[in-house]
Amino acid sequence: MTKEKLALAIIDRLKKEYPDAGCTLDYNQAWKLLVSVRLAAQCTDARVNVVVQDLYAEFPDVNALANASVEDIEKIVKPCGLGRSKARDISACMKILRDEYQGKVPDDFDALLKLPGVGRKSANLIMGDVFGKPAIVTDTHCIRLVNRMGLVDGIKEPKKVEMALWKLIPPEEGSDFCHRLVYHGREVCTARTKPYCDKCCLKDICGKCGIN
C-alpha cells in the first residue's frame, strides 16, 4: 500500500472511530484560542481550560487584556507553567491585535506567525479551527503517531512532518485528521504506556514503527 493510500485509509477509519473529534481547548472567540494555545505549551489542555476562566473573568476582551500588566496576567496564568514568558507573549500579542487588527485575529498564516508566541502549530490550529482553511497541526501526538503508522519515516522535526503530511493528506481533511490523532494518541496509541494495539482500529494497516 502506498503512503497516499495508507493515509486515506487511516483518515477513513479515524473518522468512524472519532466522528465528533475537535479542538480540546475551550474557546468561543478567536482571540481566546490564541491565548489558550500559548498557555498550552508544556501544559495540559484540561488545566488551560480551567485557568482561562479566571483570566477572562478579570480581562473579558482584547482591550482589557492588552491594557493589563504582564504581572497581573502572570499571577493568573502561573499554574500553566512558564508564567512570565507566557504572560509577556499574551500581553504583546493582544496589543498587536488591538493596535493593528482592530481587535481581530488575522486570517493570514504569515500574519499569525508574526504574533508573539505563535509558531506554525498554533497558526495552523487557528487557520483550521477558526477560519476553516486547510491546516495540519503537528503537535506531539501527531508527530508520534504518523511515525508509528508509517506515514513519515523517522521525522521528528515539526515543520518537516507538516511538509511531509501536506503531500499525503487532502487539504480539507488536515485539521480534523490532526484532532483525531490527539484523541487516538490519548486513548489508544499512548506515549507513556505501551500502545493498546489490540484494540486499535488501525491494527491491520499500521506500520507499528518503533513498537515492540
Side-chain angles (χ1 to χ4, degrees):
M1 187 184 299
T2 65
K3 287 185 179 181
E4 289 80 5
K5 289 183 178 179
L6 177 61
L8 293 177
I10 290 171
I11 288 169
D12 183 60
R13 294 194 188 187
L14 291 181
K15 274 186 181 180
K16 294 173 182 175
E17 193 75 7
Y18 310 101
D20 302 317
C23 182
T24 51
L25 291 167
D26 295 337
Y27 71 97
N28 56 13
Q29 296 180 67
W31 69 271
K32 291 183 178 180
L33 181 57
L34 198 57
V35 170
S36 289
V37 169
R38 181 65 189 98
L39 293 177
Q42 299 181 43
C43 181
T44 65
D45 290 357
R47 174 168 290 185
V48 171
N49 289 338
V50 172
V51 170
V52 292
Q53 293 179 29
D54 293 333
L55 184 66
Y56 302 148
E58 186 73 20
F59 308 111
D61 54 40
V62 170
N63 285 338
L65 204 47
N67 292 331
S69 70
V70 171
E71 290 74 21
D72 286 342
I73 297 172
E74 182 184 2
K75 289 176 186 176
I76 300 174
V77 305
K78 192 174 181 179
C80 293
L82 304 174
R84 185 69 179 178
S85 64
K86 290 180 179 181
R88 189 167 54 241
D89 284 343
I90 289 170
S91 175
C93 188
M94 293 302 111
K95 283 180 169 64
I96 292 173
L97 295 189
R98 179 195 64 192
D99 298 340
E100 299 183 23
Y101 295 103
Q102 295 77 51
K104 306 293 184 182
V105 175
D107 62 352
D108 177 81
F109 188 81
D110 291 330
L112 287 170
L113 286 180
K114 293 178 182 178
L115 296 175
V118 177
R120 296 188 67 86
K121 180 180 75 172
S122 302
N124 269 300
L125 180 65
I126 291 164
M127 291 297 287
D129 275 43
V130 174
F131 301 113
K133 296 186 177 183
I136 290 179
V137 181
T138 50
D139 63 5
T140 55
H141 291 290
C142 175
I143 294 169
R144 183 177 78 255
L145 267 63
V146 297
N147 272 282
R148 284 180 173 178
M149 293 170 179
L151 290 178
V152 302
D153 302 315
I155 305 174
K156 304 297 184 182
E157 201 275 309
K159 184 177 179 180
K160 290 182 179 179
V161 172
E162 180 192 334
M163 294 301 106
L165 291 179
W166 277 119
K167 298 176 183 178
L168 303 175
I169 308 298
E172 69 277 10
E173 299 285 358
S175 183
D176 288 341
F177 171 68
C178 292
H179 286 319
R180 292 186 175 104
L181 289 180
V182 171
Y183 281 73
H184 196 62
R186 289 175 178 172
E187 297 177 15
V188 179
C189 200
T190 52
R192 295 184 180 180
T193 64
K194 189 173 181 179
Y196 302 100
C197 296
D198 57 318
K199 65 177 183 179
C200 178
C201 64
L202 307 172
K203 60 184 177 184
D204 61 317
I205 59 173
C206 176
K208 300 182 177 63
C209 301
I211 299 174
N212 298 319

